[in-house]
Amino acid sequence: MQDIKELFQRLDRQANSKIVITTHHKPDGDALGSSLALWKFLRNQGFDVHVVSPTDYGVHLQWMPNQEQVINFEMAYNRAKELVEQADFIFCLDFNALHRINELGDIIRNCKAEKIMIDHHQEPEDFDQYRYWTTQTTSTAQLVEEVIVMWKGAEAIDADMATCLYTGIMTDTGSFRFDTVTPHTHRTVAELIERGAQNSFIHQKVFDNFSYDRLRFIGHCLANNLEIIPELKTAVMSVTREELQEYKIQTGDTEGLVNYGLSIRGIEFSALFIDRTKLIKISFRGSGKFPCNEFSRDNFSGGGHFNAAGGQSTETLKEAVERFKHILPNYKKYLADD
Ligand code: 5GP
Ligand code: MN
């Protein structure tokens, strides 16, 4: 692995480099925020730079500065492929395994560009030439902020970039409440506000931007689909295909649903199963000593962080939930009072 500072020097000398920034499937606030911040920074430096997203993203992010520039691989396949194949450098943000971005990942793996990984998830795959990676941070947005400061100083952060970076840190920390948040995080965020991020406006855009149907859907799920297993401090919720259709659920609308389980006193592990037709998509969240990533890796072909992980299953919704409940007692040592 080469030193990322050497990359800055090379890029400083090669102003005509073609750059692509990409991120994970269904980008969240951190994925999109870090990508758009880096895009604006590199553009301000005069580079030919594009953001290519593997898929679309939620309406709660469709206000972010310069998001209209994002090229959706599913919608503009030829253009996206051409940009990737012509790129000299590809920044891979907020993910660390090319197979997780499906077909776009194969194109990236085989293209001539040098790859730079900026990420905070566990177990990075080896596909990059440069890496700025740690799990000891709040978000990829925070890492992008550090990269920009290392490269050109904090003065290089404009209001658009500050807004995008703030959004990434805010969404990946549950609005600054996870235990990844440190005094350093708050110092970074203070700097971002000074540079033009409007904190109250950003919260409103991200959290108060949903449809009436989506709120009714949450009410329905909480009233009918949430089950608790108090002796194992666990909450589990499942959502059918029909329910997604009935409430016209869009990309991004189910984000955060898994967290409701953790808001119940005494609950330390929450699981959400959603029937996405081709697959059952599962989210896990923990607030105590339960290793969500290990659980997901061992049982649901997934992974992620200790407190927030995801996985999938090709079983039916009912089978996946039944299997979950069947396995759970094996993890009693993490979940029951001793
Ligand atoms: P979410 O529940 O929001 O889909 O995912 C939570 C976290 O787990 C994210 O950090 C995400 O990157 C990770 N994650 C979600 N699904 C998978 C998966 O299938 N495999 C791996 N390795 N990580 C996942
Ligand atoms: Mn992230």
Side-chain angles (χ1 to χ4, degrees), residues 27 32 35-36 51-53 55 57 66-72:
L32 192 64
S35 298
L36 289 171
V51 176
V52 175
S53 169
T55 65
Y57 44 85
N66 308 305
Q67 62 86 26
E68 67 288 349
Q69 304 282 338
V70 173
I71 296 155
N72 176 351

Side-chain angles (χ1 to χ4, degrees), residues 30 94 120 172:
D30 186 35
D94 203 38
H120 67 130
D172 256 30

Side-chain angles (χ1 to χ4, degrees), residues 207-226:
F207 297 114
D208 304 334
N209 208 351
F210 292 101
S211 64
Y212 179 44
D213 278 327
R214 190 250 185 189
L215 194 61
R216 289 179 53 248
F217 168 74
I218 292 176
H220 166 83
C221 291
L222 295 178
N224 303 292
N225 302 2
L226 179 66

Side-chain angles (χ1 to χ4, degrees), residues 23-24 28 30-31 92-97 100 117-125 131-140 143 172 293 303-306 308-310:
T23 187
H24 60 72
D28 56 11
D30 186 35
C92 297
L93 265 48
D94 203 38
F95 74 104
N96 63 29
R100 292 212 54 215
M117 178 199 296
I118 306 180
D119 178 60
H120 67 130
H121 296 91
Q122 291 186 338
E123 298 178 6
E125 197 182 73
R131 184 175 293 187
Y132 194 65
W133 175 90
T134 175
T135 56
Q136 306 295 307
T137 189
T138 55
S139 56
T140 299
L143 298 180
D172 256 30
N293 48 3
H305 311 275
F306 189 86

Side-chain angles (χ1 to χ4, degrees), residues 35-221:
S35 298
L36 289 171
L38 185 62
W39 178 86
K40 185 73 193 294
F41 169 74
L42 291 170
R43 211 180 100 108
N44 288 351
Q45 304 301 312
F47 291 104
D48 174 356
V49 54
H50 298 271
V51 176
V52 175
S53 169
T55 65
D56 65 349
Y57 44 85
V59 277
H60 66 299
L61 302 176
Q62 291 175 20
W63 58 272
M64 293 181 72
N66 308 305
Q67 62 86 26
E68 67 288 349
Q69 304 282 338
V70 173
I71 296 155
N72 176 351
F73 178 69
E74 287 181 337
M75 301 293 291
Y77 177 89
N78 290 332
R79 169 107 175 104
K81 186 165 182 277
E82 184 183 58
L83 286 168
V84 168
E85 286 175 345
Q86 289 176 357
D88 301 305
F89 296 94
I90 300 183
F91 284 86
C92 297
L93 265 48
D94 203 38
F95 74 104
N96 63 29
L98 289 176
H99 68 87
R100 292 212 54 215
I101 57 170
N102 311 331
E103 199 187 340
L104 178 58
D106 291 333
I107 299 173
I108 292 177
R109 196 187 305 281
N110 297 321
C111 75
K112 68 170 168 49
E114 290 180 64
K115 287 115 197 164
I116 306 102
M117 178 199 296
I118 306 180
D119 178 60
H120 67 130
H121 296 91
Q122 291 186 338
E123 298 178 6
E125 197 182 73
D126 212 2
F127 65 83
D128 47 332
Q129 284 72 49
Y130 294 95
R131 184 175 293 187
Y132 194 65
W133 175 90
T134 175
T135 56
Q136 306 295 307
T137 189
T138 55
S139 56
T140 299
Q142 185 144 8
L143 298 180
V144 166
E145 191 268 354
E146 287 168 20
V147 163
I148 293 170
V149 171
M150 247 192 295
W151 192 347
K152 293 284 164 181
E155 307 70 42
I157 299 176
D158 68 15
D160 282 357
M161 289 152 64
T163 301
C164 293
L165 294 171
Y166 185 99
T167 305
I169 299 173
M170 177 190 84
T171 52
D172 256 30
T173 57
S175 299
F176 313 107
R177 68 198 178 104
F178 296 164
D179 66 6
T180 50
V181 174
T182 63
H184 173 69
T185 317
H186 282 284
R187 283 188 200 102
T188 304
V189 164
E191 169 98 35
L192 295 175
I193 294 173
E194 280 169 356
R195 298 204 166 272
Q198 295 178 37
N199 48 315
S200 171
F201 168 84
I202 295 171
H203 280 260
Q204 206 180 348
K205 284 292 190 188
V206 172
F207 297 114
D208 304 334
N209 208 351
F210 292 101
S211 64
Y212 179 44
D213 278 327
R214 190 250 185 189
L215 194 61
R216 289 179 53 248
F217 168 74
I218 292 176
H220 166 83
C221 291

Side-chain angles (χ1 to χ4, degrees), residues 259-280:
N259 294 317
Y260 285 97
L262 289 183
S263 72
I264 304 164
R265 191 185 316 118
I267 296 296
E268 294 184 4
F269 179 42
S270 174
L272 170 66
F273 292 73
I274 303 180
D275 189 343
R276 297 279 184 197
T277 310
K278 284 185 201 147
L279 279 176
I280 306 299

